Amino acid sequence: MNTDEFVRRRRQLMRMMGRGSVAILPAAQTRLRNRDVLYAYRQDSDFYYLTGFAEPDAVAVLAPGRPEGEYLLFCRERDPDKETWDGTRAGPGNAVTRFGADAAWPIDAVEELLPKIVGACDRVYYTMGAHPEFEQRLMGWVSRLRIRGGAGTHTPDEFIALDHFLHDLRLYKSREEAGAMRRAARIAVQAHRRAMSMCRPGLFEYQIEAEFMHEFRSHGAQPSYQPIVGSGANTCILHYHANDRRMEDGDLLLVDAGCEYDYYASDVTRTYPVNGRFTPEQRAIYEVVLDAHEAALAAVAPGNPWSEPHEAAVRHVTKGLKKIGLLEGAVSSLIRNRAYQKFFMHRTGHWLGMDVHDVGDYKIADQWRVLEPGMALTVEPGIYIPPGTRGVPKRWWNIGVRIEDDVLVTREGADVLTRDLPRDPDVLEALVGAAAQ
Ligand code: GLY
Ligand code: MN
Ligand code: MN
């Protein structure tokens, strides 16, 4: 991402905060996986959004109008010995020259300097609840200021959730952000195509997962969440992650896998038969989901409420299930009584951005938010019929279908970022196993 983009974001946020305020954002912490092995480090999305700084042990401070500098960064000092083991660090010098901080200090100085900066402000913005340990330290500094200061000491009297401003900014994607999302979408599309072409009975689900890893890493991307590769009954487990079953002839396969590129996520699902031929029941369910998906996509347009794609999907899923005979009764009462939830138990989408379930309010004052250009969301209706589903004949069991695409709301309507990945069942049948020996 271009450095101007980060400058612009900081300016926008500071304009919203106004003078006399300070925003404090800690970097994500490293986390132990086992013994002395760490999980792969990923910077906190809010922190990265404003700084473009990918290292742990850092605190960013924005103080609009502060005469000595508005953007301050505390970070790890250079250390040749440690850098030999763990790689280079920017250090405070580069934090200024390369990352645009007005001033930067070693992270250890935070204890001494930050309370002074906080003490000089009226309002403190931070992401409440997101970093409990840091929040405790912050509150400790403020309490000490109050106790030690005595009469006449100035301390901030408002603590405000940063989320409202910051997450509202993140909800609207700039041209640069849309570019990164397009790239993440394109890599995911290629990965799904690759996996489809390799798919055949006898492979294990993790071998399909491996095709995604190959394609993601080949393009400098990584998974944006744990891939879901579920076959047979596993298609009906919404967050299935084991990915360790052998795929059999006659199974459906549901693959929900997306990648993160330059800190932006894609989130894509396709469902297809492992052997390249839908059974009549699988195809019937697939076509209901596809119909719901098309109806939901058509409802993504500026000016429409956030709820409209979901409501369209619910109508089409309910009608389709009734036509097949899996729901009985009047469509209107089936919708009112939420009878469809037996088979379609999640919502039709979520915001998409730096986080796969991205930030941003879905409602404003109890009203569904209206879609606007720059917002990005997924469209992902599904129907799931696990084995043993009561009142459903056995031939329908083990069918879980979800179709998920990524959509950017534009001035004209909607741009489906993952449109190049086929959804048509005949096209899927032709692609599945095309590269398998
Ligand atoms: N991959 C998670 C979701 O579809 O929401
Ligand atoms: Mn999703
Ligand atoms: Mn998904």
Side-chain angles (χ1 to χ4, degrees):
M1 194 85 25
N2 194 313
T3 49
D4 294 346
E5 180 83 3
F6 298 105
V7 174
R8 192 183 55 73
R9 293 169 179 177
R10 290 193 293 268
R11 278 211 194 111
Q12 256 181 312
L13 179 64
M14 286 196 276
R15 205 175 307 132
M16 291 166 130
M17 290 162 53
R19 281 165 181 268
S21 324
V22 63
I24 303 172
L25 296 102
Q29 292 181 327
T30 53
R31 302 222 181 264
L32 272 184
R33 179 179 182 275
N34 59 300
R35 195 159 160 79
D36 58 351
V37 177
L38 300 176
Y39 281 106
Y41 183 75
R42 161 61 157 76
Q43 187 54 279
D44 175 83
S45 297
D46 286 332
F47 186 95
Y48 193 84
Y49 181 82
L50 292 170
T51 63
F53 194 74
E55 293 182 27
D57 297 322
V59 174
V61 179
L62 295 177
R66 182 174 175 271
E68 306 90 332
E70 296 184 311
Y71 169 34
L72 320 171
L73 194 58
F74 295 88
C75 63
R76 300 182 302 185
E77 277 188 278
R78 302 296 310 262
D79 181 331
D81 286 342
K82 291 217 167 93
E83 289 180 44
T84 300
W85 288 90
D86 300 324
T88 53
R89 302 168 165 198
N94 285 313
V96 173
T97 53
R98 280 186 25 226
F99 292 91
D102 295 318
W105 297 278
I107 185 67
D108 291 341
V110 86
E111 295 286 341
E112 186 201 332
L113 298 180
L114 196 51
K116 289 183 186 148
I117 297 166
V118 168
C121 290
D122 301 323
R123 290 176 302 282
V124 180
Y125 287 85
Y126 66 98
T127 47
M128 290 179 184
H131 306 274
E133 284 171 35
F134 188 79
E135 201 168 317
Q136 248 178 347
R137 285 171 70 195
L138 177 62
M139 290 310 151
W141 296 327
V142 175
S143 316
R144 276 196 292 280
L145 279 176
R146 283 184 186 261
I147 294 163
R148 287 209 201 123
T153 306
H154 183 272
T155 53
D157 39 35
E158 274 188 277
F159 289 82
I160 305 171
L162 184 59
D163 315 24
H164 292 304
F165 288 160
L166 184 55
H167 294 176
D168 214 60
L169 285 180
R170 279 179 56 190
L171 181 57
Y172 297 87
K173 274 67 182 177
S174 67
R175 190 204 296 260
E176 292 249 358
E177 292 179 286
M181 292 189 71
R182 246 178 254 289
R183 180 109 168 102
R186 198 159 56 231
I187 296 167
V189 166
Q190 277 174 244
H192 274 271
R193 280 183 178 275
R194 180 186 176 97
M196 263 175 213
S197 75
M198 303 299 285
C199 181
R200 62 180 160 84
L203 289 186
F204 284 81
E205 294 160 348
Y206 50 72
Q207 292 177 280
I208 295 296
E209 182 181 353
E211 300 301 334
F212 281 87
M213 294 308 291
H214 175 96
E215 202 66 26
F216 292 167
R217 296 307 293 137
S218 301
H219 292 91
Q222 56 203 335
S224 48
Y225 53 93
Q226 261 184 288
I228 297 167
V229 185
S231 61
N234 297 336
T235 57
C236 304
I237 303 171
L238 297 180
H239 288 164
Y240 174 73
H241 292 134
N243 300 353
D244 61 357
R245 178 179 173 274
R246 196 182 122 110
M247 305 187 295
E248 304 295 345
D249 206 357
D251 286 346
L252 266 187
L253 176 65
L254 183 155
V255 186
D256 183 344
C259 66
E260 180 177 302
Y261 181 83
D262 199 11
Y263 283 82
Y264 285 83
S266 53
D267 180 9
V268 187
T269 308
R270 286 295 181 271
T271 310
Y272 41 88
V274 165
N275 65 9
R277 299 294 296 174
F278 283 101
T279 65
E281 289 79 11
Q282 290 168 352
R283 186 178 271 260
I285 298 295
Y286 188 89
E287 284 177 348
V288 174
V289 177
L290 183 58
D291 177 55
H293 185 271
E294 281 166 3
L297 269 187
V300 178
N304 283 356
W306 157 260
S307 54
E308 204 147 307
H310 181 61
E311 283 162 12
V314 162
R315 274 195 306 278
H316 284 254
V317 163
T318 305
K319 277 188 198 161
L321 288 173
K322 180 179 163 163
K323 206 163 161 197
I324 288 176
L326 295 183
L327 288 177
E328 283 174 20
V331 169
S332 56
S333 61
L334 289 171
I335 292 175
R336 201 173 41 251
N337 301 330
R338 302 184 183 204
Y340 59 87
Q341 281 187 347
K342 178 176 175 184
F343 303 104
F344 175 25
M345 59 294 278
H346 56 75
R347 287 196 67 87
T348 302
H350 47 81
W351 301 131
L352 181 70
M354 297 184 78
D355 294 307
V356 65
H357 295 161
D358 207 27
V359 293
D361 291 331
Y362 291 97
K363 283 187 170 177
I364 294 180
D366 276 348
Q367 294 290 314
W368 289 114
R369 188 158 204 151
V370 168
L371 297 176
E372 294 176 59
M375 294 177 174
L377 62 148
T378 64
V379 169
E380 51 176 312
I383 294 178
Y384 311 89
I385 315 175
T389 304
R390 279 182 198 219
V392 175
K394 203 170 170 182
R395 63 196 172 92
W396 296 101
W397 293 0
N398 301 321
I399 298 180
V401 175
R402 177 162 67 253
I403 304 172
E404 177 173 31
D405 282 291
D406 300 345
V407 189
L408 182 69
V409 182
T410 63
R411 238 176 289 179
E412 295 76 32
D415 184 359
V416 182
L417 306 179
T418 44
R419 86 172 74 72
D420 289 341
L421 188 60
R423 302 185 284 259
D424 180 276
D426 296 327
V427 177
L428 290 179
E429 284 187 341
L431 289 175
V432 172
Q437 316 284 327

